[in-house]
Each structure stands twice: as structure tokens, then as C-alpha cells.
Amino acid sequence: MRIKLEVERQSWPIEGGFAISRGAKTAAEVLVVTLAAEGQVGRGECTPYARYGESLDGVEADIVRLKDRLEAGLTRDQLQSALPAGAARNAIDCALADLEAKRTDRTAWEILGLAQAPGPVTTAYTLSLDTPEKMAEKARANAERPLFKLKLTGEGDLERVAAVKEAAPQTRLIVDANEGWKPEMVEPYSEKLAALGVEMIEQPLPAGDDAMLSEIAHPVALCADESAHDRGGLDALVGRYEMINIKLDKTGGITEALALKQAAEAAGMQIMVGCMLATSLAMAPAVLVAQGAQVVDLDGPLLLSQDRDPALRFEGSVIHPPQPALWG
């Protein structure tokens, strides 16, 4: 079987912009890999992330370097050693799974070894980093959503969370510091956030400087994000974090994401499935990984001015599994 590879850059405007502790952006810049063979087409989408040393140019070059091997029939198993974990491998891995599903007239969940068909999942809705007043305004406008994720940064975070809690008292809360806190903040902030009903704190300290978390009291569960990539780094996270955020752009695709999920659960960790800012094509395979996860954060398309067509079906914060026309 010979496979034809195409790579396309796409830019998807973000509704109102998006800010975290490291900066702000106005568009989701993604790469879409298309693999065609035997009259069928498989697609995968990735978001190169500068925090991990990635760029559109670099990730596209990594994908194109595999052109000859892909066209000669590179398999998903072979792909795992052909590229490191990251955005390039993610786009190819998801495209290969999609192509295999369409070529064999099977579903992606069957090909990937899931025990049963995926069902709907409920996603968090992210409130971008802003002043307490503006975050409260956004919360009030979305108060019907069951779960908010608040982007935090350090100074002023308690005021931000308190303002959102007052604006939407029925909505459950998790927070994401994106490595923006200092060690001395973790215990007191955790205690005060617990009193505000916060259920999880994502990546409070910089990756690489988080070993001390195992010695810091924290009544709210901590979740590894920037510290968590693939199974190779899992052992170091046990004892520091109670949860792990699995993102396909970090694991390098759905193949490793499912393996990491299984390994993390075996190690006693709870699962969060997250995303970069991207379209429904990037979220679709992650919905399979999100089955049974304690926290789902796949709201990327909800933050865009528009999504691709066809897209995932959202009913409020409920995401339905992808239809084959989109992926899988």
C-alpha cells in the first residue's frame, strides 16, 4: 500500500483572544496531515507549542522528513520510534488511525482496542486569564456550564477565583496556573482555593522544579500538565501529583495517549484529558481517550470564532463522539 502525504497550515481565529500566564494569542495555528491511499483519506491535526521547543516550520519539517517512509507504508507501531513524542507524531498517528478505519470499514475505537464504543463526555469550559471583574463577567455569561477551568498566574489569583465563584456559584471549578506559582504559594493557596470549592490545581510550579510538591501539603488535588508528556516521565510524577493531564500533542498521538492513560491508572493516578487550542479534528481522537476520565478539558473548538465542517457535536458542554466524516 502506497500512501500520499499532504501537510497544510491553518489559522483559526480565537473568539475574543486567549491569555495564560505565559502570554496571549488571537488564533490557533495548526497543521493538518492528510494521508490518502486506496481511495480513502485519513486526517490528523496538531498544534506546535513553543513551550516545548516546537514551531510550525519545525514540526512541518519533521512530518515531511517521513514522507518516503509513509508512502512506503509506515505503520503506527513503526511511527512510535520514528519520531519522538510531540506534535508532529500526533498528527501522523491520528491520520494513520483515521486512514486505517476508513480503509478497513471499521471504527477507530475498534482499531485502537477500546472495549466499547465511546459515549458523550462533559468538558470543562476555560476562562482565559484576565482581571477578576472580566473573568466574573465571562463566568456569569456561561453560568449554565457545569465546570469551569480558570487560567491563573500567581498574584491576584485568589481574587479571580472568588469573583468567578460569586458570579457562578453552581459551577464546579478547577484552576490552571501554567507553571506560574512560586513554591511558597502552593500550601496557602491550596487551602484557600479548597475553601472556595476548587477541585483541582493544574501545574502550579515549573516543570523540572516540581519535586518539592511531594513534601508540600495541598488539600486540593494537583495535576501534572507541562511536567507530563509520555510514559517515560510517569514514574517521576507519582507522589508529586494526584492527576495527570494527557494531551495528544504531548504524547505524540492517540497510540501513546491510550498507553499512558493505562499506565497512569495502574500507578494510582487520576486522569485528565486536555487539549491545545485547536479545532474539532484535534479533539475527535481525544474524545476516545477521555472515556472514563475524571476531568475532560476538550473545549478548544468552543473558544474559536468558528470550527471546521464537519465538526464535533456540542450540546452545551457535552461533546458527542466524532462521526466518521470528521475522524475515525
Side-chain angles (χ1 to χ4, degrees):
M1 178 185 68
R2 295 192 64 82
I3 299 176
K4 181 181 178 182
L5 165 70
E6 293 183 1
V7 187
E8 180 184 359
R9 297 189 186 194
Q10 297 179 351
S11 181
W12 296 83
I14 299 168
E15 184 71 40
F18 189 80
I20 66 172
S21 63
R22 284 190 293 271
K25 58 170 63 179
T26 58
E29 307 291 344
V30 307
L31 287 168
V32 175
V33 165
T34 301
L35 301 176
E38 301 177 349
Q40 300 293 336
V41 172
R43 298 183 302 158
E45 178 182 318
C46 70
T47 303
Y49 204 47
R51 168 64 182 81
Y52 305 132
E54 296 176 336
S55 67
L56 286 165
D57 288 342
V59 170
E60 183 174 10
D62 287 342
I63 294 169
V64 171
R65 271 194 288 272
L66 280 187
K67 182 176 185 293
D68 290 344
R69 293 185 65 185
L70 282 165
E71 293 185 345
L74 183 76
T75 66
R76 278 191 303 114
D77 285 344
Q78 293 167 339
L79 173 66
Q80 306 311 305
S81 59
L83 282 175
R89 195 175 78 190
N90 176 33
I92 298 172
D93 191 56
C94 291
L96 283 170
D98 188 28
L99 179 61
E100 184 178 351
K102 290 176 168 59
R103 281 185 52 251
T104 60
D105 197 27
R106 299 165 65 203
T107 62
W109 68 265
E110 290 172 317
I111 288 169
L112 292 161
L114 273 66
Q116 60 187 25
V121 295
T122 299
T123 181
Y125 183 78
T126 302
L127 302 184
S128 175
L129 178 64
D130 212 321
T131 64
E133 294 77 16
K134 289 185 177 179
M135 292 181 76
E137 181 181 349
K138 189 68 177 287
R140 198 172 293 111
N142 290 275
E144 77 286 354
R145 296 191 182 274
L147 178 63
F148 286 147
K149 182 168 93 165
L150 281 61
K151 289 292 188 177
L152 302 182
T153 188
E155 184 177 351
D157 283 349
L158 298 178
E159 292 78 5
R160 291 181 176 93
V161 177
V164 168
K165 182 68 174 179
E166 182 177 0
Q170 301 306 313
T171 301
R172 296 165 49 224
L173 304 178
I174 58 177
V175 302
D176 183 4
N178 282 116
E179 307 178 282
W181 289 3
K182 297 176 181 177
E184 60 269 22
M185 293 178 174
V186 176
E187 183 172 352
Y189 274 40
S190 181
E191 291 175 352
K192 292 175 181 177
L193 291 176
L196 288 167
V198 171
E199 299 175 15
M200 185 198 79
I201 299 169
E202 193 176 346
Q203 198 69 41
L205 301 181
D209 293 327
D210 58 356
M212 65 188 70
L213 289 176
S214 62
E215 302 172 0
I216 298 176
H218 51 273
V220 179
L222 301 182
C223 179
D225 181 9
E226 285 86 350
S227 292
H229 291 262
D230 58 12
R231 283 172 292 173
L234 180 61
D235 288 348
L237 305 179
V238 177
R240 301 179 191 179
Y241 298 92
E242 288 73 43
M243 301 184 69
I244 181 172
N245 188 351
I246 299 174
K247 295 178 180 176
L248 272 64
D249 276 313
K250 294 188 302 176
T251 64
I254 189 168
T255 303
E256 176 63 20
L258 290 169
L260 174 58
K261 178 183 179 183
Q262 183 178 29
E265 289 176 332
M269 301 184 79
Q270 292 190 316
I271 304 300
M272 175 180 184
V273 176
C275 66
M276 306 301 185
L277 276 167
T279 77
S280 281
L281 180 57
M283 305 303 124
V287 171
L288 273 61
V289 184
Q291 301 298 305
Q294 283 72 38
V295 176
V296 177
D297 180 25
L298 299 178
D299 64 341
L302 298 177
L303 306 178
L304 303 179
S305 297
Q306 67 179 64
D307 197 3
R308 63 178 71 250
D309 184 19
L312 287 170
R313 179 160 67 96
F314 283 83
E315 292 181 336
S317 292
V318 175
I319 312 174
H320 293 267
Q323 295 299 308
L326 172 64
W327 184 89

